[in-house]
Amino acid sequence: MRFLLDENISPALAAYLAAVGVFASSVPHIVPARNEAATIAQAVTSLLQQDYPGEFSVILIDDHSEDATAQLAHQAATNLNAATRLEIHPAAPLPQSWTGKLWALNEGVSRVQRRGAAPLRPSPAINDRSAPTYYWFTDADITHAPDTLHRLVSRAENHQLDLTSLMVQLQTKTLPEHSLIPAFLFFFLKLYPPSRIANPKSSTAGAAGGCILLRSEALLRIGGLTAIRHEVIDDCALAQAIRLTGGKIWMGLTRASISLRSYTTFREIRDMIARTAYTQLRYSPLLLIGTLLAMFLTYLAPIALLFAPHPAPRILAASAWLLMSLLYLPTIRFCRLFPLWAATLPAAALFYTYATCLSAARYYAGHGAQWKGRIQAHRPRQNFR
């Protein structure tokens, strides 16, 4: 598996981009937040401390939070004497045809356009002063290194990217996280290999929704977020829409941006997987059966064959287990865990298989894609005559 790591830009490239006015554009940071009191202060602080040479502001879309999310965000900005660069905007009621995060992001984009947040010194290529050159979509439970926006814009300009995203460093501190979070990254990168995403000739399109830099022209070209308003896996749907309209996309991994969301129980990780697993399979029973069969043959059958009565299948099974562990090892190393955790991939695969089955069961029970009190994947009703 090949990782595309986000690397620091060279001083020469940074100087050139600054000279041609790339960093003159303002970049609004749009942060959807729903009940994020535990992390919002750290997230807002990291955004307000960006060393981006151009103008930027943070727009927090408070998605009907029932805790102190908005107050803690404002206090964090006040502590930095940066309250004027943070705008807290309450989201309008969620329309029936939208998923929650996309509606919050759309509220942020609409807010930027209504207030006329254009570049202070517009790029010659941007004639519409009602929109900035880029939007930065980032989650309310992520902290970023001070140069993150600088690096994102530099990469986007240097490679003429329409969508630039980073898979942030996930927490791997608790036993459930050690056991299952590296597997989340492993399976995600198998579905969306960064090298294929970066290839304009590939049909694979993916993104990491926690950190996305989106060119405003590309957003306009796809018809705005309205075009994907019902999507549960919103980041990959956005990337697919950008690709289908001829846009260039890129996704890499970084340790400089860190998710603050922790999972202390296996149940929490199970629910995280079950929220979108059946959506990834397009709610197809045939794809579900095929996936379960593939997971069994690839990851579980070798372990079962270790108990075969004859030595030949046991040797083959041990070889298969060793091979999958070696393939998993780069992910384990990226997560900075002890190498022997690579041998636990079959157990993680069994857990993910169970969570996928649970995802399908919840969908057919009318409780699909549950997130913070919302059910976002409804089974279509059938009319019987």
Side-chain angles (χ1 to χ4, degrees), residues 123-128 131-135 160 162 214-224 242 245:
S123 164
I126 303 298
N127 297 318
D128 182 6
T133 307
Y134 295 102
Y135 297 104
Q160 292 300 297
D162 293 292
L214 179 63
R215 196 178 293 269
S216 61
E217 289 178 327
L219 181 60
L220 181 64
R221 196 165 57 238
I222 69 171
I242 297 295
T245 54

Side-chain angles (χ1 to χ4, degrees), residues 193-206:
S195 58
R196 292 187 62 184
I197 290 173
N199 183 357
K201 297 180 181 179
S202 171
S203 60
T204 301

